[in-house]
Amino acid sequence: MSTTPRVVIIGAGIVGANLADELTSRGWNQVTVVDQGPLPLTGGSTSHAPGLVYQTGPSKTMTEFATYTVEKLQGLDDDGDRCFNQVGGLEIATTPERLADLHRKHGWATSWGVPGEVIGPEECAKLHPLLDVEKVLGGFHTPTDGLAKAARAVVALARRSVARGARFRGAVTVTGINHSHGRVTGVETDHGEIPADIVVSCAGFWGQAIGEMVGMTVPLLPMAHQYAKTDPLPELAGRNDERTEANLPILRHQDRDLYYREHVDRLGIGTYAHRPMPVRLSDLPQDEETSERAMPSMLPFTEEDFAASWEHSKRLLPALETAKVDTGFNGVFSFTPDGGPLVGESPDVRGFWIAEAVWVTHSAGVARSVAQLLVDGRSEVELHGCDVHRFDELETAPDYVEETSSRNFVEIYDVKHPLQPKFSPRELRVSPFHARQKELGAVFLEAHGWERPHWFEANAPLVKDLPMEWQPPSRDAWSAMFHSPVAAVEAWKTRTAVALYDMTSLKRLEVSGPGALAFLDRLTTNKVDKSVGSVTYTLMLDEAGGVRSDLTVARLGEQLFQIGANGNLDHEYLRRNLPDDGSVTLRDITGGTCCIGVWGPLARDLVQPLSRDDLSHEGLKFFRCKQIHIAGIPVTAMRVSYVGELGWELYTSAEYGQRLWDVLFEAGRELGVVAAGRAAFNSLRLEKGYRAWGADMTTEHNPYEAGVGFAVRMQKGEFVGRDALAGIEADSVERRLACLTIDDGRSVVLGSEPVFLDGEPSGYVTSAAFAHTLGTPIAYAWLPASAEVGTQVQIKYFDRLVSATVAAEPLVDPEMHRIRR
């Protein structure tokens, strides 16, 4: 008898069918797939999906998902009928801004390994003869993109899965998820219970309702999206038959939120140009109302919403001037607050998983990762941007989900800057210093609802006082967006005087109890069993040795620790690993506390007169902490610095926050104190070579590749990931996170650009900034380990190559004198 777990997959669309295939290919043969609709066209989004698979995007993970979807569907057929038509993709530009963005997209493609090229108007017209060449400035052609025949793929995947032991059951309505003692036990249906050890919801826009059955919040919004087909076009007559269906490349006209594909002799047109149309599940046709032609995911076409898109289509494609819209529908699919899919396990019911808000484009890739999570315990592709637990609580509130998801629909084809914040909702989470920051002209960006100052206009008059060596060069229009030369002032003041940084948005967790030390010791790589008052930089790894996160662990008492974490994913991981005996308590204390980073060579001159506690180097050494009072305010002072200067992170209860800010700012006036923002902060941290988890390193990298092997203490004993690191050393890795200095001293890259070594694409930029202390742009990039210090490389920035040199790190104060004064 098989010993593989009993798995029930809810949803027999492209995601569920792919997951069944991935699981059974790994030997799991007790897999049952259920769907409320008839098989194979169940009535979900898969049934009407136009099937466009464009691989390239700003996310490496999402691009890899799409690339795997292409590879897998290309090798799949249904009785000889192919499941993928590799016609290629063509994105055209009708504005200079879009053409520049296509060069940027070409950079992403090169970084993530997708073939493509930016071509001129004539080449675009050769590839797609329906185009009016006079309207086109250029295009981005990706020959490996194409059309997925989603419904056909579901049939082929189901057949293959069934041959390995899986079962597919249609017309089965899930009515509940059974669970006991915090573990799933089965799926309740209108045909009785199906026992299960693992349940995976791949229910698409029904995912919210399924999640509610176990009390799990699934932050997605069903949205209607218009798709229409023309009547037969003479220009397409005879080009295709029913089996070929298309041979022109799929076409995107993103300047007008439009895309196009062939349907034999007709043209399909999809548009995001209309108003957002959120859909309530209660408004969808019920089972008895549906038929083969009236699926619950296909709502009536609203011609008035399509009118403008039709006019724009006729201008771009003159063949449509005499054509008509023959059929159309408003198809329902899922959007999320940040546009990413939702993958993960219920926080409360073990064994209940979701894989939702997944489009056909990424379906096979997501399914492979979920199968790897279930079978192997980890995905080979890193998933932090897909994990359902990446959101803080307020980001899963229904109003927030609806507003942000609707905005993502509107902006889906927009040219978006990597620093571009949400316009709304804003001011959801503010530190106690917020009022004072607004008085100082703070320019705020946003992350997870937090308002974070990027720079302060109050410091603008100081730009004229900058020494010549601190004067920043002018920037190109793109890198100048969401930036100000004021950042140079704030960096200068941090290096030469003192600055206050709002660090409140850093996730803070409290771990306490008799089992706290053993708990943290097992999950982290560095030695945390140190004296009370110690602060430790450490990592959390997965079982394969990949960097799950980096943390600072402050020991405030024998059984009390404060954790500086990267976000909600860390909180969820720690929570899941709490011992069952109740010996450890975990609390998120972020909202009730606040933090000011006081850094600079004059930091001690500012703080010491305000406190009776000894803040000398001997009184509070580097990477130590203690409870002190500043002007009578109780503060936890940690002698750490993410900017590489003398100073402390000063933590206090939120009720004292504004008073602490006022006291420090007033006392610092005679020292030239400034408030400083994230722009200066990012520049200074890169000068010191400090990594940012999620950008510079993820689970795809081990500590020695990422340059943080110093935080691993193999001799301390067992910890998660230790075995995987055995035998690995910094000198033995084949790739490495390398520091680059830009040779021309002016070109500021922003991240994700491809890096060329000996003329070949060999890596990509992770983080970048203008290093104000050095007067030159810098970047960090993943490169082969053979790219040693002094190696010349080139970075592709839009349509030009920027020369750079691999440099020894850290670039500033490698002896750590400044930070240890």
Side-chain angles (χ1 to χ4, degrees):
M1 180 178 292
S2 172
T3 58
T4 64
R6 300 167 298 176
V7 181
V8 175
I9 298 170
I10 301 172
I14 192 68
V15 182
N18 260 303
L19 180 56
D21 179 66
E22 294 289 336
L23 289 173
T24 56
S25 72
R26 289 164 171 77
W28 283 27
N29 55 14
Q30 296 193 88
V31 176
T32 301
V33 184
V34 298
D35 201 292
Q36 63 184 340
L39 300 179
L41 293 179
T42 61
S45 301
T46 299
S47 305
H48 63 70
L52 281 67
V53 180
Y54 278 97
Q55 297 166 83
T56 306
S59 164
K60 179 175 180 286
T61 292
M62 299 299 283
T63 300
E64 289 177 336
F65 284 161
T67 297
Y68 182 68
T69 298
V70 169
E71 293 170 355
K72 182 173 182 178
L73 296 189
Q74 263 201 297
L76 191 68
D77 68 86
D78 177 29
D79 290 335
D81 291 330
R82 60 187 175 184
C83 295
F84 189 78
N85 187 0
Q86 199 163 53
V87 294
L90 179 61
E91 303 178 52
I92 55 99
T94 59
T95 64
E97 294 78 14
R98 181 67 61 183
L99 184 59
D101 194 59
L102 294 184
H103 282 287
R104 184 170 65 122
K105 185 167 287 186
H106 182 211
W108 295 337
T110 306
S111 291
W112 317 142
V114 177
E117 63 176 336
V118 177
I119 59 177
E122 292 75 18
E123 291 90 343
C124 291
K126 288 178 183 177
L127 288 169
H128 205 296
L130 299 189
L131 282 169
D132 180 352
V133 70
E134 298 298 323
K135 299 290 196 302
V136 178
L137 301 180
F140 175 48
H141 179 226
T142 43
T144 58
D145 289 343
L147 295 165
K149 191 69 174 176
R152 183 181 295 166
V154 166
V155 173
L157 291 165
R159 181 181 293 121
R160 194 158 74 181
S161 302
V162 168
R164 302 183 189 124
R167 294 191 302 160
F168 277 69
R169 297 176 56 184
V172 173
T173 300
V174 173
T175 58
I177 308 296
N178 297 329
H179 50 95
S180 177
H181 303 293
R183 285 208 63 90
V184 72
T185 59
V187 175
E188 200 66 48
T189 78
D190 57 352
H191 288 65
E193 185 189 26
I194 306 173
D197 305 300
I198 296 171
V199 175
V200 186
S201 177
C202 304
F205 54 81
W206 284 285
Q208 278 184 321
I210 300 297
E212 288 172 359
M213 295 178 181
V214 295
M216 182 179 183
T217 300
V218 180
L220 64 79
L221 179 70
M223 300 273 285
H225 159 60
Q226 289 200 302
Y227 192 78
K229 290 182 184 179
T230 68
D231 57 2
L233 301 178
E235 292 82 357
L236 297 181
R239 293 177 57 92
N240 309 295
D241 56 29
E242 292 294 334
R243 294 187 65 179
T244 305
E245 196 172 10
N247 60 43
L248 291 178
I250 48 179
L251 178 67
R252 285 208 283 201
H253 179 23
Q254 292 174 293
D255 288 319
R256 293 299 182 181
D257 299 312
L258 286 158
Y259 64 82
Y260 308 89
R261 59 151 295 181
E262 285 177 287
H263 292 278
V264 190
D265 59 352
R266 303 166 186 258
L267 205 62
I269 306 172
T271 179
Y272 295 96
H274 56 79
R275 61 191 168 89
M277 302 178 188
V279 174
R280 311 293 173 215
L281 295 185
S282 58
D283 296 335
L284 298 177
Q286 302 303 307
D287 290 343
E288 62 271 13
E289 302 172 28
T290 64
S291 69
E292 185 178 350
R293 298 189 62 188
M295 297 180 180
S297 60
M298 296 175 67
L299 302 180
F301 190 61
T302 49
E303 294 184 10
E304 64 276 13
D305 291 301
F306 191 71
S309 292
W310 180 240
E311 292 304 314
H312 290 305
S313 296
K314 288 191 291 186
R315 293 181 193 133
L316 181 71
L317 307 169
L320 300 183
E321 286 287 354
T322 57
K324 296 179 180 178
V325 174
D326 185 45
T327 62
F329 63 93
N330 291 358
V332 183
F333 64 148
S334 304
F335 271 74
T336 61
D338 61 3
L342 305 173
V343 173
E345 189 178 19
S346 162
D348 302 311
V349 179
R350 295 295 176 94
F352 180 84
W353 291 73
I354 67 168
E356 306 290 20
V358 181
W359 296 4
V360 171
T361 305
H362 310 107
S363 56
V366 169
R368 178 180 62 173
S369 284
V370 173
Q372 290 172 343
L373 287 170
L374 296 178
V375 177
D376 306 322
R378 76 182 296 269
S379 163
E380 65 186 73
V381 176
E382 73 90 13
L383 299 177
H384 81 273
C386 307
D387 194 311
V388 66
H389 302 296
R390 66 190 182 270
F391 300 110
D392 284 345
E393 184 178 5
L394 75 88
E395 297 173 281
T396 67
D399 289 346
Y400 184 94
V401 172
E402 178 158 345
E403 180 172 351
T404 54
S405 298
S406 296
R407 172 56 55 183
N408 283 332
F409 180 93
V410 171
E411 295 178 347
I412 189 168
Y413 280 172
D414 286 3
V415 176
K416 297 188 70 172
H417 193 277
L419 292 177
Q420 184 171 315
K422 294 183 181 71
F423 295 110
S424 177
R426 293 296 297 268
E427 297 199 354
L428 296 175
R429 305 172 85 176
V430 298
S431 77
F433 326 129
H434 186 67
R436 298 295 185 255
Q437 291 166 347
K438 292 182 76 171
E439 291 170 1
L440 293 171
V443 175
F444 293 97
L445 300 188
E446 180 270 350
H448 293 287
W450 282 105
E451 296 295 324
R452 305 197 302 182
H454 209 51
W455 69 85
F456 292 84
E457 286 297 328
N459 298 325
L462 298 177
V463 171
K464 67 180 187 310
D465 298 329
L466 281 170
M468 183 61 64
E469 64 270 21
W470 284 87
Q471 289 285 344
S474 60
R475 295 188 172 209
D476 67 276
W478 185 252
S479 64
M481 292 179 67
F482 305 103
H483 182 76
S484 168
V486 172
V489 169
E490 295 169 7
W492 171 54
K493 283 290 189 177
T494 306
R495 290 278 188 245
T496 61
V498 62
L500 305 185
Y501 288 82
D502 182 357
M503 303 300 292
T504 301
S505 62
L506 175 74
K507 176 74 77 173
R508 288 177 293 286
L509 306 172
E510 182 185 271
V511 178
S512 61
L517 175 60
F519 170 69
L520 291 172
D521 202 46
R522 179 175 64 86
L523 296 181
T524 64
T525 61
N526 213 338
K527 180 180 173 63
V528 294
D529 187 6
K530 300 176 183 176
S531 61
V532 172
S534 65
V535 181
T536 304
Y537 175 80
T538 187
L539 310 174
M540 291 194 297
L541 307 180
D542 63 18
E543 293 289 354
V547 181
R548 181 185 291 275
S549 188
D550 63 341
L551 311 172
T552 54
V553 179
R555 192 168 194 179
L556 304 182
E558 287 294 332
Q559 299 182 4
L560 177 63
F561 298 82
Q562 181 172 310
I563 312 297
N566 281 301
N568 203 54
L569 290 178
D570 293 337
H571 186 200
E572 177 62 15
Y573 177 70
L574 292 171
R575 189 192 69 81
R576 284 179 178 276
N577 283 279
L578 289 171
D580 295 332
D581 61 7
S583 62
V584 180
T585 299
L586 173 68
R587 289 199 309 138
D588 184 343
I589 60 172
T590 311
T593 56
C594 58
C595 177
I596 301 175
V598 183
W599 292 309
L602 302 183
R604 189 174 285 119
D605 298 302
L606 191 162
V607 179
Q608 184 63 82
L610 300 174
S611 178
R612 298 184 180 185
D613 298 281
D614 184 3
L615 298 178
S616 68
H617 180 65
E618 294 72 23
L620 183 56
K621 292 185 176 181
F622 189 54
F623 266 88
R624 299 288 297 177
C625 66
K626 67 178 180 181
Q627 308 292 334
I628 67 170
H629 286 82
I630 295 176
I633 301 167
V635 169
T636 299
M638 294 189 193
R639 180 86 185 277
V640 294
S641 172
Y642 205 48
V643 299
E645 291 293 333
L646 168 68
W648 306 268
E649 290 180 355
L650 303 178
Y651 295 90
T652 191
S653 174
E655 63 193 301
Y656 303 124
Q658 184 167 294
R659 172 66 177 162
L660 179 62
W661 179 278
D662 288 345
V663 165
L664 292 170
F665 203 81
E666 183 60 34
R669 287 186 187 277
E670 64 183 30
L671 301 173
V673 72
V674 298
R678 302 293 296 191
F681 180 84
N682 190 55
S683 169
L684 297 170
R685 71 99 180 166
L686 281 174
E687 293 177 347
K688 285 298 295 178
Y690 295 148
R691 277 56 169 154
W693 185 85
D696 300 317
M697 57 187 181
T698 68
T699 55
E700 293 186 356
H701 314 109
N702 71 50
Y704 304 105
E705 294 172 326
V708 288
F710 63 86
V712 177
R713 293 289 182 271
M714 297 291 285
Q715 63 271 29
K716 81 167 189 170
E718 292 300 315
F719 57 84
V720 174
R722 182 180 186 274
D723 292 345
L725 299 184
I728 302 177
E729 297 179 356
D731 294 337
S732 66
V733 299
E734 296 182 356
R735 61 177 177 175
R736 185 175 291 121
L737 187 65
C739 178
L740 306 178
T741 55
I742 309 301
D743 293 347
D744 67 12
R746 301 180 62 85
S747 299
V748 179
V749 301
L750 297 180
S752 299
E753 296 91 351
V755 182
F756 291 76
L757 177 63
D758 296 327
E760 295 295 325
S762 303
Y764 59 92
V765 173
T766 59
S767 296
F770 187 86
H772 296 285
T773 310
L774 304 170
T776 188
I778 60 174
Y780 273 79
W782 282 101
L783 288 174
S786 60
E788 298 177 345
V789 172
T791 301
Q792 295 290 306
V793 298
Q794 292 180 307
I795 302 171
K796 182 75 176 297
Y797 182 66
F798 288 88
D799 59 347
R800 64 189 179 95
L801 291 172
V802 176
S803 295
T805 304
V806 178
E809 58 167 334
L811 296 169
V812 171
D813 191 26
E815 299 83 10
M816 302 287 282
H817 293 320
R818 303 174 70 91
I819 209 168
R820 297 179 186 273
R821 331 180 194 216

